[in-house]
C-alpha cells in the first residue's frame, strides 16, 4: 500500500477551504480523511472515523478547545468540513472519571456539547478519540490488518508483523468501555503509533494529519507483507455446467419474497469466486463477519447454496429449503441472545444479505440497488479478509454473542421504523423507447418513486441523461435477440424485473390506399411485433420469479378512435390493444397484470411540430385548438402520461384495463 499524500494537493485543499472560513487543522483533517476513504482496502461505505483536536471561538470570542470528529451519515470518501462536527473537548474528558456510561447517555452528552446544535451526531467512538491525547487520529477497517486481527492468536501475529508500533486492545464493544480501555493502553505504552483493536480495526495517531495518515499506510503495508509471505492455497476449480446468472437470479429473488421485494447484486470474480469455490465454503461462511461493524449490512452468516447445475427449477426447490433453514437458524440465534439481553429487542428480518454459490460467486441482497451494492462491496472484503486470514492461520472473527450485541445495539434498534420506503422501492422497471419524450418522463417518474431503471432504446445518447444509476441498454425492440439480451442484462444487474413498460412506437402517416406494403409492415413491426417480443420476454422473467408482475403498453387513443390519414398507426395500435387483452387473459393466473395507457397528442418524437401542423390541417383547426382539443381544453404532456403509468402500475387488482390520458375525448372513450 502506498501513501497518496501529495503536499501540493494538501496545500491547495487548505487554500480552498480557507475561503469558506475553515482553518488549516480541519482542512488537513478533511484532506487526509478523504485519502483514507478513497481506498476500499481501508474503509468502505461510511466505515472508519477520523478526528482532530483544535480550537475555535465561542460566542464571547474566547478560545475553546474542541474535538472535530466524523459525524454520523458522512462517508470518508466524500467528507467535507461539516462532516467533522466540533464538540467541546473539556466536558468529554471529564466523562472518563465515570465508572460506567450507557450508550444513550453517551450520545446525549455528545449532542449536548456540540458547538452547532444542528450538526449530525458525532461518531460513537468520539470518546476514544477524545481520551487519546494525539492531535490527529485515524481509524480504519483495513482488509490486510483484519486478516491478522481475526486470528485465535491475533496479538502474537500482530506483534510479529507490526513489531512494537501498536498496542493490542482485546475486543470491546464500541463506546465508553472501549474508550477507557484504549486510553489506559496508550498511557501504558506512550511510544506507540497506534492501537490494534482485535477483531475490529486499526487506529493510528500523529501530531500532524500526514503523520497519522502515513502511519496507517505503513502499518497496513506491513500487514500486507506478512500475508504475502504466507503461501496461498491454489484457487479451486469451479464446477462445470453452472446455469447463467440471468436464469438463476430471478428464481433466487422470488424465493426471498415479494413484500418487500429485494434487489440483487452479483459478484462473480476475484475473491468472491475463489471463496465460492473453496471446498470448506459451508463451514467458512458460518464463522462470522470480518469486523462487527459489517453485521449491520450483511448479517453474521452467509447463506450457502448448491451450484445451479442441470434443472434450474429443481435447484430452486432445493434452494427454497436451504433458505427456510437459514431463516429458522436466524430466528433461533435471535431468541438465544435476546432472552439474556438487558433490554427488549425487536427482531430483524431473518433473510440473508449474502448468498454464496459455487460456480457463480457471491450474491448480495438489499432493499435498493444502492443497499445491495454496499452489501456486495462488504461481502467482497469479507471474502478477501477470510481467504487472507486462512493463509495466515485461521479466520476467527468476533464471536456470536458479541456480533449479536452489535447487530442489536440499542443505537441501531432506535432507528427501526424511522426510514420511510418510497412506494416502488425494490421494484425494477424496464422501459422501451426510453430516449423519447414519454420514455424519459417515464424514467423520471418511476425513479422518483424509488424504482430501479433498465432502459432500452436505439438512441444511447438520448438515454445518457436519464438512466442515473440504472442500466441504459442499446437495442431494437423489433429484434428478439436484443430484447432477450436486455432482460438478461436487467436480471444480471438487479436480479429480475417487476414492471415492464412497452413504450417504443412509430407513427406512419398517409391514407391506407397510398401506403406501401413495406410501410404498413414496418408500422406493425414496431407497434405490434416489438411489443410481443417485450411481453414474451417479460412473462418469462415474471414466471421465474413467481411474484407476479406488471406489463404495461403505450397504446394510443388511435386504437379506439382512429384519425384520418393515420391508418398504419391506428390499425397497428388496435392490434396492440388486442395483444394487451390477450396477455391479461392468458397470464392473470401467473399474477401478471396487463394494462394499457391511451395517450393523445403528446409532443414527442412521434408527434413533431411538423406533424402537429399536418394533423391540425387535416382536422381543419389551429395548432393550439388541435393540441388542447379535449373536454378539459388543456394540452396533455409526457409527464401526465408518465404519472398515469405510475398510477396503473400500483393498481393491484386491475388488469385488462385501458386508461385514457387525453384530456377527455368522447369518441375515444371505450365502450
Amino acid at each position: 500500500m502506498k501513501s497518496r499524500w501529495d503536499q501540493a494537493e494538501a496545500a491547495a485543499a487548505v487554500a480552498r477551504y480557507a475561503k469558506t472560513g475553515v482553518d488549516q487543522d480541519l482542512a488537513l483533517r478533511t484532506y487526509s480523511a478523504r485519502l483514507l476513504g478513497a481506498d476500499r482496502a481501508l474503509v468502505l461505505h461510511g466505515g472508519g472515523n477520523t478526528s482532530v483536536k483544535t480550537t475555535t471561538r465561542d460566542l464571547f470570542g474566547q478560545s475553546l478547545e474542541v474535538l472535530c470528529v466524523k459525524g454520523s451519515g458522512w462517508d470518508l470518501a466524500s467528507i467535507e468540513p461539516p462532516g467533522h462536527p466540533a464538540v467541546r473537548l473539556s466536558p468529554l474528558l471529564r466523562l472518563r472519571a465515570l465508572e460506567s456510561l450507557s450508550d444513550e447517555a453517551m450520545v446525549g452528552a455528545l449532542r449536548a456539547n456540540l458547538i452547532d446544535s444542528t450538526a449530525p451526531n458525532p461518531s460513537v467512538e468520539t470518546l476514544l478519540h477524545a481520551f487519546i491525547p494525539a492531535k490527529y487520529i485515524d481509524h480504519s477497517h483495513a482488509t490486510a490488518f483484519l486478516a491478522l486481527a481475526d486470528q485465535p492468536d491475533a496479538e502474537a501475529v500482530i506483534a510479529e508483523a507490526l513489531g512494537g508500533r501498536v498496542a493490542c486492545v482485546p475486543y470491546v464493544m464500541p463506546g465508553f468501555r472501549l474508550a477507557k480501555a484504549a486510553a489506559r493502553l496508550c498511557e501504558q505504552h506512550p511510544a506507540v503509533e497506534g492501537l490494534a483493536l482485535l477483531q475490529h480495526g486499526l487506529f493510528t495517531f500523529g501530531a500532524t494529519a500526514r503523520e497519522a495518515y502515513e502511519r496507517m499506510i505503513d502499518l497496513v503495508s506491513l500487514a500486507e507483507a506478512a500475508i504475502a509471505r504466507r503461501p496461498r492455497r491454489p484457487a479451486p476449480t469451479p464446477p462445470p455446467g453452472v446455469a447463467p446468472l440471468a436464469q438463476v437470479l430471478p428464481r433466487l429473488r422470488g424465493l426471498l419474497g415479494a413484500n418487500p421485494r429485494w434487489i440483487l447484486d452479483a459478484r462473480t470474480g476475484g475473491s468472491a469466486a475463489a471463496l465460492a469455490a473453496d471446498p470448506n465454503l459451508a463451514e467458512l461462511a458460518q464463522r462470522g463477519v470480518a469486523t462487527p461493524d459489517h453485521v449491520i449490512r450483511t448479517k453474521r452468516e452467509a447463506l450457502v447454496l448448491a451450484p445451479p447445475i442441470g434443472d434450474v427449477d429443481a435447484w430452486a426447490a432445493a434452494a427454497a429449503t436451504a433458505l427456510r433453514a437459514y431463516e429458522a437458524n436466524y430466528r433461533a440465534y435471535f431468541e438465544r441472545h435476546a432472552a439474556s439481553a438487558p433490554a427488549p429487542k425487536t427482531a430483524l428480518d431473518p433473510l440473508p444479505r449474502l448468498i454464496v454459490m459455487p460456480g457463480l460467486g457471491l450474491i448480495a441482497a438489499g432493499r435498493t440497488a444502492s443497499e445491495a451494492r454496499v452489501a456486495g462491496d462488504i461481502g467482497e472484503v469479507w471474502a478477501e479478509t477470510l481467504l487472507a486470514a486462512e493463509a495466515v492461520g485461521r479466520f476467527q472473527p468476533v464471536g456470536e454473542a458479541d456480533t449479536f450485541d452489535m447487530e442489536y445495539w440499542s443505537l441501531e434498534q432506535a432507528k427501526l421504523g424511522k426510514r420511510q420506503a418510497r412506494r416502488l422501492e425494490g421494484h425494477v422497471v424496464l422501459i422501451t423507447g426510453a430516449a423519447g419524450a414519454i420514455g424519459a418522463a417515464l424514467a423520471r417518474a418511476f425513479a422518483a418513486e424509488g424504482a430501479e431503471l433498465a432502459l432500452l432504446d436505439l438512441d444511447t445518447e438520448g438515454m445518457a441523461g436519464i438512466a442515473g444509476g440504472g442500466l441504459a441498454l442499446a437495442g431494437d425492440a423489433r429484434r428478439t435477440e436484443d430484447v432477450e439480451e436486455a432482460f438478461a442484462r436487467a436480471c444480471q444487474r438487479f436480479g429480475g424485473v417487476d414492471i415492464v413498460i412497452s413504450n417504443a412506437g412509430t407513427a406512419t402517416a398517409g391514407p391506407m390506399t397510398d401506403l406501401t406494403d413495406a410501410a404498413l409492415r414496418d408500422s406493425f413491426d414496431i407497434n405490434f411485433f416489438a411489443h410481443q417480443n417485450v411481453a414474451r420476454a417479460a412473462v418469462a422473467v415474471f414466471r421465474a420469479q413467481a411474484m407476479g408482475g406488471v406489463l404495461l403498453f403505450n397504446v394510443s387513443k388511435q386504437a379506439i378512435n382512429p384519425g384520418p390519414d393515420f391508418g398504419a398507426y391506428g390499425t397497428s395500435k388496435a392490434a396492440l390493444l388486442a395483444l394487451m387483452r390477450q396477455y391479461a387473459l392468458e397470464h392473470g393466473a401467473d399474477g401478471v397484470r396487463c394494462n394499457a395507457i391511451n395517450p393523445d397528442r403528446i409532443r414527442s418524437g412521434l408527434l413533431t411540430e411538423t406533424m402537429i401542423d399536418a394533423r391540425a390541417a387535416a382536422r381543419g383547426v389551429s395548432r393550439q385548438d388541435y393540441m388542447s382539443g379535449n373536454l378539459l381544453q388543456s394540452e396533455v404532456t409526457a409527464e401526465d402520461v408518465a404519472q398515469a403509468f405510475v398510477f396503473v402500475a400500483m393498481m393491484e387488482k386491475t388488469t385488462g384495463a385501458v386508461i385514457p390520458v387525453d384530456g377527455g375525448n368522447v369518441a375515444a372513450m371505450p365502450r
Side-chain angles (χ1 to χ4, degrees):
M1 180 170 287
K2 293 183 179 180
S3 170
R4 301 187 184 201
W5 188 281
D6 183 299
Q7 192 57 40
E9 289 181 358
V14 171
R16 182 173 67 256
Y17 289 126
K19 295 177 182 177
T20 59
V22 175
D23 68 14
Q24 178 172 297
D25 285 349
L26 184 52
L28 289 173
R29 172 68 289 167
T30 304
Y31 170 71
S32 63
R34 290 172 72 110
L35 294 183
L36 291 172
D39 195 333
R40 72 184 298 276
L42 294 174
V43 295
L44 275 177
H45 301 298
N49 48 62
T50 47
S51 70
V52 60
K53 297 178 180 72
T54 185
T55 59
T56 188
R57 297 283 176 183
D58 64 16
L59 292 175
F60 302 99
Q62 301 296 311
S63 180
L64 184 67
E65 287 189 319
V66 295
L67 174 72
C68 294
V69 63
K70 180 192 165 194
S72 175
W74 283 88
D75 193 307
L76 292 183
S78 56
I79 200 164
E80 292 291 343
H84 286 99
V87 191
R88 294 175 183 84
L89 184 57
S90 179
L92 300 188
L93 296 177
R94 288 200 297 272
L95 294 174
R96 189 178 171 190
L98 297 175
E99 287 297 320
S100 62
L101 184 67
S102 71
D103 293 329
E104 291 76 13
M106 178 186 70
V107 171
L110 298 182
R111 283 216 62 82
N113 285 288
L114 280 168
I115 300 300
D116 178 0
S117 62
T118 65
N121 282 340
S123 165
V124 294
E125 290 173 338
T126 293
L127 294 184
L128 189 157
H129 287 259
F131 294 171
I132 295 173
K135 184 176 180 69
Y136 285 91
I137 300 178
D138 293 352
H139 171 42
S140 83
H141 301 131
T143 305
F145 171 78
L146 288 172
L148 308 183
D150 287 335
Q151 295 288 333
D153 54 345
E155 192 164 349
V157 171
I158 290 170
E160 179 184 347
L162 308 186
R165 296 176 65 178
V166 297
C168 289
V169 184
Y171 179 77
V172 179
M173 183 86 166
F176 181 68
R177 287 177 55 233
L178 175 58
K180 292 191 69 168
R184 283 195 300 270
L185 266 176
C186 284
E187 290 170 349
Q188 294 166 9
H189 305 278
V192 295
E193 301 171 15
L195 293 174
L197 276 59
L198 303 187
Q199 301 169 312
H200 180 169
L202 177 64
F203 278 82
T204 56
F205 356 106
T208 67
R210 183 169 188 170
E211 184 176 50
Y213 167 72
E214 292 195 332
R215 281 176 170 175
M216 177 69 70
I217 300 305
D218 288 346
L219 292 172
V220 175
S221 296
L222 290 174
E224 289 176 334
I227 294 168
R229 289 193 292 270
R230 308 294 181 102
R232 289 283 189 108
R233 289 178 295 175
T237 302
V242 174
L245 279 173
Q247 291 183 22
V248 175
L249 295 189
R251 288 170 171 81
L252 179 59
R253 186 167 179 251
L255 294 179
L256 292 174
N259 188 24
R261 295 193 177 215
W262 295 86
I263 304 297
L264 304 183
D265 186 298
R267 307 299 171 99
T268 59
S271 59
L275 177 61
D278 194 291
N280 299 320
L281 170 63
E283 190 272 329
L284 292 173
Q286 297 177 24
R287 300 259 189 98
V289 290
T291 177
D293 298 59
H294 291 172
V295 73
I296 306 301
R297 308 276 197 171
T298 66
K299 294 201 181 302
R300 182 175 183 272
E301 297 181 8
L303 168 64
V304 176
L305 296 178
I309 299 172
D311 185 344
V312 179
D313 290 329
W315 169 85
T321 300
L323 178 60
R324 300 292 88 82
Y326 180 98
E327 292 178 285
N329 288 338
Y330 183 86
R331 291 188 183 98
Y333 153 80
F334 173 79
E335 295 296 337
R336 195 160 54 244
H337 296 286
S340 58
K345 301 295 182 183
T346 300
L348 303 173
D349 74 80
L351 294 172
R353 297 301 188 271
L354 297 177
I355 301 161
V356 191
M357 285 180 279
L360 283 182
L362 182 149
I363 314 300
R367 303 290 177 86
T368 65
S370 175
E371 193 177 290
R373 184 176 66 254
V374 169
D377 288 346
I378 291 174
E380 283 191 312
V381 165
W382 164 68
E384 291 170 18
T385 305
L386 189 157
L387 294 172
E390 287 290 291
V392 170
R394 174 182 169 79
F395 176 63
Q396 184 172 301
V398 69
E400 183 181 281
D402 287 319
T403 307
F404 178 88
D405 288 343
M406 177 63 78
E407 186 177 5
Y408 284 87
W409 197 1
S410 60
L411 301 183
E412 291 294 331
Q413 287 271 294
K415 299 176 184 177
L416 296 180
K418 292 184 178 180
R419 180 180 174 276
Q420 292 296 316
R422 287 181 287 177
R423 293 190 295 177
L424 290 176
E425 185 175 282
H427 290 70
V428 180
V429 179
L430 188 147
I431 302 168
T432 70
I438 292 177
L442 285 166
R444 291 189 295 268
F446 277 90
E449 296 290 349
E452 313 296 343
L453 301 179
L455 309 179
L456 177 66
D457 203 297
L458 286 168
D459 180 5
T460 54
E461 291 184 7
M463 291 188 289
I466 60 173
L471 279 174
L473 305 167
D476 187 338
R478 293 171 295 185
R479 291 170 50 86
T480 302
E481 55 269 37
D482 285 9
V483 171
E484 290 177 349
E485 175 65 16
F487 275 88
R489 292 275 303 279
C491 291
Q492 291 162 6
R493 173 68 176 273
F494 301 116
V497 179
D498 304 290
I499 301 169
V500 174
I501 303 176
S502 196
N503 171 64
T506 189
T508 303
M512 289 297 290
T513 54
D514 292 349
L515 287 174
T516 65
D517 288 351
L520 188 58
R521 287 194 176 95
D522 183 62
S523 182
F524 270 79
D525 278 345
I526 299 174
N527 294 328
F528 177 80
F529 286 106
H531 294 268
Q532 161 65 357
N533 290 339
V534 172
R536 182 170 48 212
V539 168
V541 174
F542 294 159
R543 281 176 158 174
Q545 294 175 153
M547 297 189 295
V550 177
L551 180 55
L552 305 178
F553 298 89
N554 186 347
V555 174
S556 169
K557 74 92 189 179
Q558 286 285 332
I560 295 172
N561 173 218
D565 298 337
F566 230 29
Y569 186 62
T571 55
S572 57
K573 286 293 190 176
L576 176 58
L577 180 57
L579 183 76
M580 179 277 289
R581 288 170 168 160
Q582 195 67 31
Y583 269 89
L585 173 68
E586 294 181 3
H587 297 288
D590 296 317
V592 178
R593 293 180 277 122
C594 304
N595 295 293
I597 298 294
N598 276 10
D600 187 27
R601 304 180 194 181
I602 310 299
R603 293 179 192 269
S604 66
L606 299 185
L607 188 58
T608 62
E609 296 303 311
T610 300
M611 187 171 288
I612 290 172
D613 288 335
R615 300 308 301 156
R619 293 175 182 265
V621 297
S622 69
R623 284 169 52 91
Q624 181 178 352
D625 286 344
Y626 176 72
M627 293 304 294
S628 59
N630 52 55
L631 297 179
L632 299 177
Q633 299 180 11
S634 177
E635 181 176 339
V636 182
T637 68
E639 286 69 27
D640 297 324
V641 177
Q643 288 304 319
F645 272 103
V646 170
F647 172 73
V648 76
M650 290 188 277
M651 294 175 65
E652 295 185 355
K653 299 298 175 65
T654 298
T655 192
V658 180
I659 310 295
V661 186
D662 56 13
N665 181 344
V666 174
M669 292 179 180
R671 50 176 165 237

PDB file of all heavy atoms in Angstrom, residues 167-181:
ATOM      1  N   ALA A 167      -0.216  -1.059  20.217  1.00  0.00           N
ATOM      2  CA  ALA A 167      -0.651  -1.817  21.384  1.00  0.00           C
ATOM      3  C   ALA A 167      -1.964  -2.500  21.039  1.00  0.00           C
ATOM      4  O   ALA A 167      -2.803  -1.927  20.333  1.00  0.00           O
ATOM      5  CB  ALA A 167      -0.830  -0.886  22.579  1.00  0.00           C
ATOM      6  N   CYS A 168      -2.136  -3.724  21.519  1.00  0.00           N
ATOM      7  CA  CYS A 168      -3.323  -4.506  21.169  1.00  0.00           C
ATOM      8  C   CYS A 168      -4.411  -4.361  22.230  1.00  0.00           C
ATOM      9  O   CYS A 168      -4.153  -4.484  23.436  1.00  0.00           O
ATOM     10  CB  CYS A 168      -2.955  -5.986  21.018  1.00  0.00           C
ATOM     11  SG  CYS A 168      -1.961  -6.323  19.545  1.00  0.00           S
ATOM     12  N   VAL A 169      -5.624  -4.107  21.759  1.00  0.00           N
ATOM     13  CA  VAL A 169      -6.786  -3.954  22.630  1.00  0.00           C
ATOM     14  C   VAL A 169      -7.708  -5.145  22.387  1.00  0.00           C
ATOM     15  O   VAL A 169      -8.228  -5.292  21.275  1.00  0.00           O
ATOM     16  CB  VAL A 169      -7.545  -2.643  22.339  1.00  0.00           C
ATOM     17  CG1 VAL A 169      -8.694  -2.464  23.340  1.00  0.00           C
ATOM     18  CG2 VAL A 169      -6.604  -1.450  22.358  1.00  0.00           C
ATOM     19  N   PRO A 170      -7.933  -6.008  23.390  1.00  0.00           N
ATOM     20  CA  PRO A 170      -8.892  -7.111  23.200  1.00  0.00           C
ATOM     21  C   PRO A 170     -10.259  -6.551  22.815  1.00  0.00           C
ATOM     22  O   PRO A 170     -10.602  -5.418  23.161  1.00  0.00           O
ATOM     23  CB  PRO A 170      -8.918  -7.790  24.573  1.00  0.00           C
ATOM     24  CG  PRO A 170      -7.621  -7.406  25.209  1.00  0.00           C
ATOM     25  CD  PRO A 170      -7.310  -6.032  24.716  1.00  0.00           C
ATOM     26  N   TYR A 171     -11.060  -7.374  22.140  1.00  0.00           N
ATOM     27  CA  TYR A 171     -12.326  -6.874  21.615  1.00  0.00           C
ATOM     28  C   TYR A 171     -13.234  -6.349  22.733  1.00  0.00           C
ATOM     29  O   TYR A 171     -13.484  -7.028  23.733  1.00  0.00           O
ATOM     30  CB  TYR A 171     -13.084  -7.954  20.836  1.00  0.00           C
ATOM     31  CG  TYR A 171     -14.409  -7.417  20.325  1.00  0.00           C
ATOM     32  CD1 TYR A 171     -14.444  -6.588  19.213  1.00  0.00           C
ATOM     33  CD2 TYR A 171     -15.593  -7.670  21.014  1.00  0.00           C
ATOM     34  CE1 TYR A 171     -15.644  -6.042  18.768  1.00  0.00           C
ATOM     35  CE2 TYR A 171     -16.798  -7.134  20.577  1.00  0.00           C
ATOM     36  CZ  TYR A 171     -16.815  -6.314  19.458  1.00  0.00           C
ATOM     37  OH  TYR A 171     -17.992  -5.749  19.038  1.00  0.00           O
ATOM     38  N   VAL A 172     -13.709  -5.130  22.533  1.00  0.00           N
ATOM     39  CA  VAL A 172     -14.697  -4.490  23.399  1.00  0.00           C
ATOM     40  C   VAL A 172     -15.679  -3.775  22.478  1.00  0.00           C
ATOM     41  O   VAL A 172     -15.280  -3.159  21.490  1.00  0.00           O
ATOM     42  CB  VAL A 172     -14.055  -3.471  24.367  1.00  0.00           C
ATOM     43  CG1 VAL A 172     -15.128  -2.809  25.241  1.00  0.00           C
ATOM     44  CG2 VAL A 172     -12.994  -4.136  25.237  1.00  0.00           C
ATOM     45  N   MET A 173     -16.952  -3.837  22.824  1.00  0.00           N
ATOM     46  CA  MET A 173     -17.979  -3.145  22.056  1.00  0.00           C
ATOM     47  C   MET A 173     -17.647  -1.651  21.969  1.00  0.00           C
ATOM     48  O   MET A 173     -17.243  -1.039  22.959  1.00  0.00           O
ATOM     49  CB  MET A 173     -19.324  -3.339  22.751  1.00  0.00           C
ATOM     50  CG  MET A 173     -20.491  -2.725  22.031  1.00  0.00           C
ATOM     51  SD  MET A 173     -21.174  -3.819  20.804  1.00  0.00           S
ATOM     52  CE  MET A 173     -22.725  -2.996  20.483  1.00  0.00           C
ATOM     53  N   PRO A 174     -17.782  -1.022  20.783  1.00  0.00           N
ATOM     54  CA  PRO A 174     -17.533   0.415  20.678  1.00  0.00           C
ATOM     55  C   PRO A 174     -18.374   1.205  21.674  1.00  0.00           C
ATOM     56  O   PRO A 174     -19.509   0.850  21.978  1.00  0.00           O
ATOM     57  CB  PRO A 174     -17.939   0.728  19.236  1.00  0.00           C
ATOM     58  CG  PRO A 174     -17.750  -0.554  18.501  1.00  0.00           C
ATOM     59  CD  PRO A 174     -18.117  -1.623  19.482  1.00  0.00           C
ATOM     60  N   GLY A 175     -17.787   2.271  22.186  1.00  0.00           N
ATOM     61  CA  GLY A 175     -18.486   3.100  23.160  1.00  0.00           C
ATOM     62  C   GLY A 175     -17.588   3.448  24.328  1.00  0.00           C
ATOM     63  O   GLY A 175     -16.358   3.480  24.208  1.00  0.00           O
ATOM     64  N   PHE A 176     -18.197   3.692  25.476  1.00  0.00           N
ATOM     65  CA  PHE A 176     -17.475   4.197  26.646  1.00  0.00           C
ATOM     66  C   PHE A 176     -16.418   3.218  27.143  1.00  0.00           C
ATOM     67  O   PHE A 176     -15.280   3.603  27.422  1.00  0.00           O
ATOM     68  CB  PHE A 176     -18.494   4.505  27.745  1.00  0.00           C
ATOM     69  CG  PHE A 176     -17.892   5.057  29.005  1.00  0.00           C
ATOM     70  CD1 PHE A 176     -17.313   6.324  29.018  1.00  0.00           C
ATOM     71  CD2 PHE A 176     -17.914   4.327  30.192  1.00  0.00           C
ATOM     72  CE1 PHE A 176     -16.761   6.846  30.191  1.00  0.00           C
ATOM     73  CE2 PHE A 176     -17.370   4.837  31.361  1.00  0.00           C
ATOM     74  CZ  PHE A 176     -16.793   6.097  31.358  1.00  0.00           C
ATOM     75  N   ARG A 177     -16.762   1.929  27.255  1.00  0.00           N
ATOM     76  CA  ARG A 177     -15.806   0.955  27.780  1.00  0.00           C
ATOM     77  C   ARG A 177     -14.588   0.839  26.881  1.00  0.00           C
ATOM     78  O   ARG A 177     -13.451   0.759  27.359  1.00  0.00           O
ATOM     79  CB  ARG A 177     -16.479  -0.412  27.938  1.00  0.00           C
ATOM     80  CG  ARG A 177     -17.466  -0.492  29.103  1.00  0.00           C
ATOM     81  CD  ARG A 177     -18.146  -1.854  29.164  1.00  0.00           C
ATOM     82  NE  ARG A 177     -17.173  -2.942  29.216  1.00  0.00           N
ATOM     83  CZ  ARG A 177     -17.162  -3.973  28.379  1.00  0.00           C
ATOM     84  NH1 ARG A 177     -18.073  -4.067  27.410  1.00  0.00           N
ATOM     85  NH2 ARG A 177     -16.252  -4.921  28.498  1.00  0.00           N
ATOM     86  N   LEU A 178     -14.803   0.817  25.574  1.00  0.00           N
ATOM     87  CA  LEU A 178     -13.678   0.735  24.646  1.00  0.00           C
ATOM     88  C   LEU A 178     -12.799   1.979  24.761  1.00  0.00           C
ATOM     89  O   LEU A 178     -11.565   1.887  24.733  1.00  0.00           O
ATOM     90  CB  LEU A 178     -14.181   0.581  23.214  1.00  0.00           C
ATOM     91  CG  LEU A 178     -13.109   0.596  22.120  1.00  0.00           C
ATOM     92  CD1 LEU A 178     -12.089  -0.515  22.335  1.00  0.00           C
ATOM     93  CD2 LEU A 178     -13.744   0.459  20.733  1.00  0.00           C
ATOM     94  N   ALA A 179     -13.412   3.146  24.897  1.00  0.00           N
ATOM     95  CA  ALA A 179     -12.635   4.388  25.009  1.00  0.00           C
ATOM     96  C   ALA A 179     -11.727   4.351  26.234  1.00  0.00           C
ATOM     97  O   ALA A 179     -10.549   4.733  26.166  1.00  0.00           O
ATOM     98  CB  ALA A 179     -13.589   5.577  25.082  1.00  0.00           C
ATOM     99  N   LYS A 180     -12.236   3.882  27.357  1.00  0.00           N
ATOM    100  CA  LYS A 180     -11.424   3.823  28.573  1.00  0.00           C
ATOM    101  C   LYS A 180     -10.300   2.792  28.438  1.00  0.00           C
ATOM    102  O   LYS A 180      -9.164   3.034  28.860  1.00  0.00           O
ATOM    103  CB  LYS A 180     -12.306   3.498  29.784  1.00  0.00           C
ATOM    104  CG  LYS A 180     -13.280   4.610  30.149  1.00  0.00           C
ATOM    105  CD  LYS A 180     -13.957   4.381  31.490  1.00  0.00           C
ATOM    106  CE  LYS A 180     -12.996   4.516  32.639  1.00  0.00           C
ATOM    107  NZ  LYS A 180     -13.668   4.580  33.959  1.00  0.00           N
ATOM    108  N   ALA A 181     -10.618   1.639  27.835  1.00  0.00           N
ATOM    109  CA  ALA A 181      -9.597   0.607  27.658  1.00  0.00           C
ATOM    110  C   ALA A 181      -8.485   1.104  26.747  1.00  0.00           C
ATOM    111  O   ALA A 181      -7.289   0.878  27.010  1.00  0.00           O
ATOM    112  CB  ALA A 181     -10.226  -0.657  27.092  1.00  0.00           C
TER     113      ALA A 181
END
